[in-house]
Amino acid sequence: MYPNGSVLSLVLTLHSLELPETTIYPAFIFGLTTYLFILLCNLTIIITICMNRNLHKPMYILLLNLPINDAMNASILFPHLLYSIWSQDRSISYPACFLQGFFVHLNGGASYLILTAMAYDRYIAICCPLRYGAIMTTNNLVKIITGMWLLNFILITVVFSILVPYRICQTHMTDLVCYKTALMKLLCDGTEVNNIVGLSCIIFYHGLSLSAVAFTYIHILITCVTNKQSDAKIKALQTCGTHLVVFMLLEFNTLFPLISHRSEFVPAFLRRVFSISNFIIPPLVNPLVYGLKTKEIRQKISF
């Protein structure tokens, strides 16, 4: 048992990467290349939107939050992971692990709120086009962006602050990343309270985003069916199709790890693989999807 006062100096051990000695250097090069490519793709989208005044519209300003969040998300994992591969040292201090877990969940929650805000923007643009300029003003856009980040920060702070009062009984992590579920398994007690709060937070994020996306896309579909102008239908499908692909990708990469952590039937290897998929697949695919599928961005990107 480790008293609360000693956690600042406590050193944890993350689950082993189980890499054969012959694969250490190839794995390091592959990880570094992947990380740099993720940063390149996301920074390209960020710079493209920032440098082109034609893209300074509500849809793209909201989209700008996504590559920023994705680049931060990848940066949470890769530097420490690359160090671990190179040195074969899986130790991490408890404060660093706690901070990593906080930002992991902060970025995960932000992804859902950003996509929810983008769904609302598409709903107003397609279903209420005459009121779009009056609703999505600069002032309201700032309120939406500030509100979603502030709400996200408060919720994740509450979720992680509940871990603080409880004592730690072990130092071996069962996961490759400092998820809250992995941190919870280190506690001597208090798991029930943390489980209830954690599940409530998951239900809130998924319930809010799924409800918002379902509501907006049902109304967008109705608008497309009733609108006889084919150009309007095509534009609606193009702008919404990209958003839906990114949202479904996020749902798959989030729900499977959540389910696998709570199921004894999922092999430990698959559980660990999907635990890091969120740091690789969305940050890698999102900028490619938006860069290739969004005509205005694609035209502005110069290779």
Side-chain angles (χ1 to χ4, degrees):
M1 184 183 296
Y2 302 89
N4 291 348
S6 66
V7 296
L8 294 177
S9 58
L10 189 64
V11 177
L12 307 177
T13 304
L14 291 167
H15 195 281
S16 173
L17 295 172
E18 299 176 355
L19 290 174
E21 190 173 345
T22 54
T23 63
I24 290 175
Y25 294 119
F28 179 83
I29 293 170
F30 177 76
L32 180 61
T33 304
T34 303
Y35 179 46
L36 292 176
F37 187 67
I38 287 172
L39 290 181
L40 174 65
C41 291
N42 285 284
L43 286 174
T44 299
I45 299 296
I46 293 168
I47 293 170
T48 301
I49 294 175
C50 291
M51 296 298 291
N52 291 277
R53 295 184 64 86
N54 292 338
L55 298 179
H56 294 179
K57 301 173 183 177
M59 172 184 171
Y60 300 108
I61 299 300
L62 288 172
L63 171 61
L64 181 63
N65 288 267
L66 198 60
I68 292 172
N69 190 60
D70 284 340
M72 289 171 57
N73 196 25
S75 297
I76 292 168
L77 172 74
F78 275 95
H80 185 265
L81 180 63
L82 291 170
Y83 169 77
S84 297
I85 293 172
W86 183 266
S87 64
Q88 290 296 288
D89 179 12
R90 294 296 288 155
S91 61
I92 184 172
S93 68
Y94 182 80
C97 191
F98 188 91
L99 196 62
Q100 184 191 72
F102 176 83
F103 281 106
V104 164
H105 290 270
L106 187 72
N107 287 104
S111 296
Y112 278 99
L113 294 182
I114 292 167
L115 290 173
T116 300
M118 290 174 67
Y120 173 74
D121 172 76
R122 291 299 81 204
Y123 165 72
I124 299 297
I126 295 169
C127 298
C128 311
L130 299 179
R131 298 177 57 200
Y132 184 78
I135 296 174
M136 297 302 291
T137 61
T138 302
N139 189 37
N140 286 340
L141 187 62
V142 170
K143 288 179 181 178
I144 290 171
I145 294 172
T146 305
M148 70 183 184
W149 279 104
L150 185 60
L151 173 64
N152 187 43
F153 182 81
I154 291 171
L155 287 174
I156 301 303
T157 299
V158 170
V159 168
F160 272 79
S161 64
I162 298 173
L163 288 169
V164 176
Y166 298 100
R167 290 173 299 202
I168 298 170
C169 281
Q170 57 178 316
T171 59
H172 181 75
M173 301 284 288
T174 58
D175 216 327
L176 299 174
V177 187
C178 297
Y179 286 112
K180 183 176 180 285
T181 49
L183 285 168
M184 232 165 47
K185 292 174 183 178
L186 304 178
L187 302 179
C188 304
D189 51 12
T191 54
E192 288 185 6
V193 175
N194 277 280
N195 260 323
I196 292 170
V197 174
L199 286 172
S200 299
C201 198
I202 290 169
I203 291 169
F204 169 78
Y205 279 108
H206 286 270
L208 175 67
S209 58
L210 282 171
S211 300
V213 169
F215 174 83
T216 55
Y217 276 92
I218 288 171
H219 281 77
I220 287 170
L221 184 62
I222 293 171
T223 301
C224 290
V225 171
T226 56
N227 194 330
K228 296 182 179 180
Q229 296 178 1
S230 59
D231 290 342
K233 294 180 183 179
I234 293 171
K235 184 179 178 181
L237 291 174
Q238 287 177 341
T239 55
C240 297
T242 304
H243 175 271
L244 191 59
V245 168
V246 171
F247 180 78
M248 295 303 294
L249 182 68
L250 177 66
E251 276 294 310
F252 175 77
N253 275 280
T254 304
L255 284 176
F256 191 88
L258 286 172
I259 294 169
S260 65
H261 271 287
R262 289 169 171 78
S263 174
E264 297 178 357
F265 300 103
V266 180
F269 172 75
L270 270 181
R271 190 158 48 237
R272 289 193 292 272
V273 168
F274 276 94
S275 71
I276 63 171
S277 64
N278 251 334
F279 302 91
I280 301 173
I281 298 176
L284 189 61
V285 175
N286 290 352
L288 293 177
V289 170
Y290 274 105
L292 294 174
K293 290 294 184 181
T294 307
K295 182 180 178 182
E296 291 81 359
I297 293 178
R298 188 174 66 247
Q299 289 176 339
K300 298 295 181 180
I301 294 175
S302 300
F303 292 95

